[in-house]
Amino acid sequence: YMGSKIKYTMASIAEGKPRDTLLKYDDPIESTISEDKLAQKAISKGLPPMKKKTQLPPLESKPSNDDMLNAILPPREWIESNIHYTQYVSHKPAERDEMVTLTKELDKRLTERQARDNGICPIREELFSQSFDEIIRQVTLNSAERGLLLHRVKDEHKMTIAAYQTLYQSAVVFGIRKHIQSLHGINELQHRIDELAVKKFNLKQKEIELKCKIDAIGKKNDEKKKIYEKMQIAEKDALVHQGNEVREFLANNKDVSSPKQPAKPQRVYCLCSRTLFQY
């Protein structure tokens, strides 16, 4: 508990005077030595810092504009030269000329700090937030309800921006994760592509070899076909020649044979191309 209290106090109180803002503040107030010592003593014991006793207003009473302003725009604190300073928002009512001065001062600081005109710019966001706080201060001094409503609008705007920032960060993380996964997938696909390229090359070589075999077998078959055709033509010519000779022989034998005793038919056999002819 004590460590958390000390950490909270160190985080809430900054070292050194903060930068001037567009929001108007009163003169800083130095804290008394006794208050600082009591606060440090309470923190060292693990207790919340002791505050000065004040008389609480009755429950039925309505808070004043000053109280509402201090609640909407809390004071800022810092430590400088071992002195604790507290600075409250100015409670002086605004005039018409102050809005013109605020506009000029805003443009001047945007130029000096080189804020971007478009896109995401933390400097421009900070300066416009300070200007909006100054407008809330001026409105709250005239009407606390309007100031509170403007403060709610500002908080809603901040919540919307925070939601978009969270969504953007989630999208960036998701995109990086998908990119890393795609890199792993690319390596696997590249390895698969290399394997398929080697397989394609081997199949191409095999295709070339098979085409060569087909061509060789085709040429061999063509040669065999030509040889077989020549053999068939030669065999046909031989058969035709033998048939002519057999006809001539039969014609000669018919004229010489006697009519009384018919000669016995002579059988002439011709063996050619594995075929037996009888005449």
Side-chain angles (χ1 to χ4, degrees):
Y1 177 78
M2 185 175 85
S4 62
K5 287 294 181 182
I6 295 174
K7 185 177 179 181
Y8 173 76
T9 306
M10 293 177 64
S12 59
I13 301 177
E15 291 287 342
K17 186 177 181 180
R19 180 185 294 177
D20 293 336
T21 64
L22 297 174
L23 178 62
K24 288 188 176 182
Y25 285 90
D26 291 332
D27 295 334
I29 303 173
E30 296 183 8
S31 300
T32 59
I33 299 175
S34 59
E35 289 179 356
D36 289 342
K37 287 185 177 181
L38 289 174
Q40 292 178 2
K41 187 175 180 181
I43 292 172
S44 63
K45 292 182 179 181
L47 300 174
M50 297 180 63
K51 295 183 180 180
K52 189 176 180 180
K53 291 185 178 181
T54 57
Q55 186 176 0
L56 297 175
L59 296 176
E60 294 80 6
S61 64
K62 182 180 179 181
S64 62
N65 291 351
D66 295 342
D67 296 336
M68 292 287 292
L69 183 60
N70 291 332
I72 294 173
L73 300 172
R76 58 182 184 179
E77 300 178 352
W78 71 90
I79 298 175
E80 186 177 4
S81 300
N82 295 327
I83 300 176
H84 181 205
Y85 291 94
T86 304
Q87 191 175 22
Y88 290 89
V89 179
S90 177
H91 292 251
K92 181 181 178 181
E95 298 179 358
R96 183 182 297 271
D97 297 337
E98 290 186 4
M99 291 302 300
V100 179
T101 305
L102 177 63
T103 304
K104 292 181 179 179
E105 187 66 21
L106 174 62
D107 296 336
K108 179 181 176 182
R109 295 196 181 189
L110 287 173
T111 305
E112 289 177 353
R113 299 182 64 178
Q114 298 179 355
R116 297 179 182 176
D117 296 335
N118 300 317
I120 299 175
C121 181
I123 298 174
R124 190 178 76 249
E125 180 183 357
E126 178 185 357
L127 293 176
F128 274 96
S129 178
Q130 295 174 7
S131 302
F132 198 69
D133 289 339
E134 175 62 20
I135 294 173
I136 293 174
R137 184 191 73 82
Q138 296 177 9
V139 172
T140 306
L141 291 174
N142 296 327
S143 175
E145 289 78 8
R146 293 179 183 176
L148 184 60
L149 181 59
L150 285 178
H151 183 66
R152 290 181 59 187
V153 171
K154 180 184 176 183
D155 289 344
E156 182 65 26
H157 180 65
K158 284 186 176 180
M159 290 174 61
T160 304
I161 292 178
Y164 280 121
Q165 288 178 349
T166 304
L167 181 62
Y168 172 75
Q169 293 174 359
S170 301
V172 170
V173 173
F174 179 78
I176 293 174
R177 184 167 61 250
K178 286 297 182 181
H179 179 66
I180 294 174
Q181 293 178 358
S182 65
L183 290 179
H184 291 299
I186 287 175
N187 294 331
E188 294 177 358
L189 291 175
Q190 188 64 37
H191 182 67
R192 179 63 177 170
I193 289 171
D194 296 337
E195 290 181 352
L196 292 175
V198 174
K199 187 176 181 179
K200 177 184 176 182
F201 178 78
N202 295 332
L203 292 175
K204 199 73 176 178
Q205 295 295 326
K206 190 173 182 180
E207 180 186 4
I208 294 173
E209 292 178 359
L210 293 175
K211 284 184 178 180
C212 293
K213 288 183 179 180
I214 290 172
D215 295 338
I217 293 172
K219 290 180 180 179
K220 188 175 181 180
N221 290 333
D222 292 340
E223 293 177 356
K224 289 183 176 180
K225 183 178 179 181
K226 290 179 181 180
I227 295 172
Y228 185 72
E229 287 178 353
K230 289 181 180 180
M231 291 176 61
Q232 285 184 339
I233 292 171
E235 185 176 356
K236 179 181 177 182
D237 294 339
L239 290 174
V240 171
H241 180 68
Q242 290 181 0
N244 294 331
E245 290 182 352
V246 170
R247 289 191 186 91
E248 292 178 358
F249 178 77
L250 292 175
N252 295 329
N253 289 334
K254 186 181 292 185
D255 296 336
V256 176
S257 60
S258 173
K260 296 180 180 180
Q261 295 180 354
K264 294 182 180 180
Q266 297 181 358
R267 293 183 180 179
V268 179
Y269 297 92
C270 179
L271 181 61
C272 182
S273 183
R274 303 179 183 179
T275 307
L276 181 65
F277 294 93
Q278 180 179 357
Y279 298 94

